[in-house]
Amino acid sequence: NNSPYLRVTPSMLRRQTGRKGTDAWTVLGGRVYNIGPYVPFHPGGGPELLRGAGKDGTQLFGEIHPWVNYEGMLSACLIGLYVPEEPPKD
Ligand code: HEM
């Protein structure tokens, strides 16, 4: 396909927990972000932010601070699109 974005599957996401030298990725609104660079700056603290690492953090994020503009704040940390495990061939 012609999408410029990396397509990230659940199994790819699960590995990016920030542990064992991996990147810390999270999903927000169907997009995948590298949240590692933001860890030292998160007002709620690094460990709290990393609760969303390696998983879809959309619901957790929305329960805590739905007013926060993550798209603007993390635009430079966008990795790609979150897609199902086996995307249909096109
Ligand atoms: C504040 C948790 C992801 C930006 C907080 C606070 C918590 C929290 C508990 C409150 C801290 C306090 O009141 O002392 C989480 C969790 C996340 C997450 C569990 C993972 C899913 C993010 C992301 C961003 C972000 C991805 C932005 C890119 C902020 C901001 C505040 C905040 C700006 C201050 C909000 C305010 O005071 O209005 N977070 N956060 N957080 N977080 Fe997060």
Side-chain angles (χ1 to χ4, degrees):
N1 64 72
N2 293 320
S3 170
Y5 296 108
L6 182 63
R7 297 163 68 87
V8 178
T9 61
S11 59
M12 292 165 70
L13 178 69
R14 271 197 297 275
R15 293 194 277 271
Q16 307 302 324
T17 59
R19 300 195 310 264
K20 297 181 186 167
T22 61
D23 283 353
W25 292 0
T26 195
V27 172
L28 296 168
R31 291 183 166 83
V32 183
Y33 294 95
N34 177 14
I35 51 175
Y38 186 60
V39 167
F41 304 104
H42 180 238
E48 195 67 23
L49 173 63
L50 289 171
R51 287 175 65 203
K55 55 183 84 141
D56 189 331
T58 305
Q59 189 178 339
L60 190 55
F61 181 98
E63 284 167 3
I64 297 169
H65 39 39
W67 57 87
V68 172
N69 177 17
Y70 67 84
E71 287 182 282
M73 296 175 68
L74 294 179
S75 60
C77 298
L78 181 60
I79 293 285
L81 303 177
Y82 193 44
V83 299
E85 203 59 58
E86 294 187 72
K89 303 258 182 291
D90 53 15

